Amino acid sequence: MDNLICISMKGISKSYRHDAKTLQVLKHVNFQVGVGETCAIVGPSGSGKSTLLSIIGLLDFPDEGDYLLMGHSVANAQSDELAMLRKSEIGFVFQHYNLIARLSVLENVALPLRYRGVDRASALEQAMQMLGRVGMADRARFKSADLSGGQKQRVAIARALIGQPSLILADEPTGSLDSETAREILELLLSIQKEQRVTLLIVTHDNQVAHLMQKKIRVRGGRVEEMGASVL
């Protein structure tokens, strides 16, 4: 295993059946993202970005090709192995937060640890510490409905990071926020990414966000068209 590579995609293709037709969404995609690297995936709507992110997050699977996550090939992994990889290696940050409304902020952040079998008291203690890191400790007992968009995204970031994953996948994490709040959230995310040396992959339509990433990948027509600093 090359322990400097977090994501390695080799010849990844993916098709879907729709209205009795086969639609090829990804076509022989190849790229790598190093451990601790930041990367933006950009491209027009319908280009395959979301499908690519789902495959990277082990929520969908390619028809052909191989995907290695932290050196583990997932091509022939069993469902329990994939679930373990998702829980141990990946944290998700979504555009619309995906917080559970009936749970408090503290309980939402503790949830990944509870899924791993961490006892409730320890999980809540660690969740409170993480909320302090993102400036939300004073909202720990609130429900998500009582938070602003920026506050919800801070909670979502805390939830994604609490399990100390190797990889954070962020799908338009600033897309629902005003420009000032978006800047604050991005600065927070990059600060924690650098501190924990976690690999950060962001799908974004925002050129300013993409330019802050170390690597940029453009997806167009299901293909990785360009890579590197000259993408945008």
Side-chain angles (χ1 to χ4, degrees):
M1 165 184 168
D2 184 350
N3 60 10
L4 297 179
I5 301 300
C6 179
I7 297 167
S8 178
M9 309 206 87
K10 303 176 182 179
I12 296 293
S13 295
K14 179 68 178 181
S15 298
Y16 294 105
R17 293 286 293 173
H18 180 70
D19 292 337
K21 296 180 180 179
T22 299
L23 176 64
Q24 189 168 16
V25 181
L26 295 175
K27 305 171 183 177
H28 308 293
V29 168
N30 298 278
F31 70 88
Q32 292 183 333
V33 180
V35 169
E37 193 169 27
T38 61
C39 177
I41 295 181
V42 300
S45 296
S47 61
K49 300 190 306 299
S50 295
T51 298
L52 183 57
L53 194 70
S54 292
I55 290 173
I56 294 170
L58 306 180
L59 300 174
D60 201 352
F61 305 96
D63 300 324
E64 60 179 295
D66 197 13
Y67 167 33
L68 281 74
L69 175 62
M70 297 302 294
H72 301 283
S73 175
V74 303
N76 299 309
Q78 301 298 311
S79 58
D80 57 341
E81 295 176 280
L82 294 171
M84 183 59 66
L85 278 172
R86 275 194 298 270
K87 287 190 289 186
S88 63
E89 300 289 357
I90 304 174
F92 295 91
V93 180
F94 302 97
Q95 180 178 355
H96 298 295
Y97 326 120
N98 286 21
L99 301 177
I100 299 176
R102 62 181 173 82
L103 299 181
S104 69
V105 163
L106 185 63
E107 289 168 329
N108 266 283
V109 175
L111 204 56
L113 296 182
R114 297 291 287 143
Y115 286 151
R116 291 189 188 183
V118 176
D119 68 86
R120 177 178 169 81
S122 179
L124 292 177
E125 180 181 0
Q126 293 179 61
M128 182 60 81
Q129 292 173 354
M130 184 57 73
L131 284 171
R133 179 65 186 85
V134 300
M136 289 295 294
D138 62 339
R139 297 291 191 272
R141 305 297 175 183
F142 283 49
K143 296 294 179 64
S144 60
D146 299 319
L147 304 179
S148 68
Q151 289 172 333
K152 290 177 181 177
Q153 199 60 295
R154 286 175 180 269
V155 173
I157 290 170
R159 180 185 58 189
L161 287 163
I162 192 169
Q164 297 184 321
S166 303
L167 172 64
I168 294 294
L169 300 179
D171 190 2
E172 297 284 359
T174 60
S176 298
L177 306 174
D178 63 77
S179 58
E180 177 74 13
T181 304
R183 180 185 60 78
E184 293 175 1
I185 291 298
L186 187 61
E187 288 177 356
L188 172 66
L189 194 55
L190 288 172
S191 172
I192 298 178
Q193 177 274 330
K194 185 176 182 180
E195 177 185 300
Q196 297 191 2
R197 201 169 179 261
V198 61
T199 305
L200 173 64
L201 192 150
I202 294 181
V203 169
T204 183
H205 285 93
D206 189 327
N207 288 354
Q208 292 183 330
V209 171
H211 275 304
L212 292 174
M213 302 298 110
Q214 294 167 302
K215 177 178 287 185
K216 307 178 190 74
I217 297 171
R218 182 184 295 278
V219 184
R220 187 186 299 275
R223 299 184 184 277
V224 170
E225 194 171 74
E226 300 177 50
M227 296 177 65
S230 63
V231 168
L232 296 176

